[in-house]
Amino acid sequence: MLNLEVNGESHQIAVEQDATLLKVLRDELGLNGPKRGCDSGGCGCCTVHVDGKAVYSCMCYALSHDGASITTAEGLSSGAELHPLQSAFIEAGAVQCGYCTCGMMMSAKQLLDECPHPDEEQIRQGISGNLCRCTGYAKIVDAVKLASER
Ligand code: FES
Ligand code: FES
């Protein structure tokens, strides 16, 4: 049995030995923020925070995080109020198909937690583990910069 706190709610879930954290979040808890892209550690679409640190949820066994606190993109907002990163992504036009967006925001959140006012180079480095096929990254960088100013 796996105990997880996800976006502030406690869950006790029966999981298979080899289930990944991504599988549990999407398939057992119905969260669609973390995306299944490559499912092999190459794209960052599945990025969530485990105890405040960004990880690729496709690359870790759920059972290895028993007792952990997980935050997904769904957990960034407070009720109806969007997180500054969420509103900045919308305002900067940093979302096209949206497939990378949740993972991108979770990496950006870790960056801003550690470095509240990053320059462009630091932003590009902070999101370097997340691939976007649509935007060319410029608007994503603008969005993170905008969020850092709020
Ligand atoms: S789905 Fe996890 S890194 Fe691509
Ligand atoms: S917005 Fe489509 S992959 Fe990034």
Side-chain angles (χ1 to χ4, degrees), residues 35 37-39 41-44 46 56 58:
K35 300 287 187 287
C38 65
D39 215 12
C43 73
C46 63
Y56 289 166
C58 71

Side-chain angles (χ1 to χ4, degrees), residues 49 76 82-92 94-95 101-102 104-113 123 127 140-148 150:
H49 286 198
L76 288 179
L82 294 181
H83 185 279
L85 274 166
Q86 294 171 314
S87 49
F89 267 66
I90 295 167
E91 282 173 44
V95 177
T101 307
C102 292
M104 195 70 83
M105 286 194 298
M106 299 314 291
S107 292
K109 169 118 180 29
Q110 176 165 345
L111 170 68
L112 296 184
D113 287 347
I123 293 172
I127 60 168
I140 294 173
V141 172
D142 290 346
V144 177
K145 188 87 186 135
L146 190 58
S148 75
R150 295 186 165 164

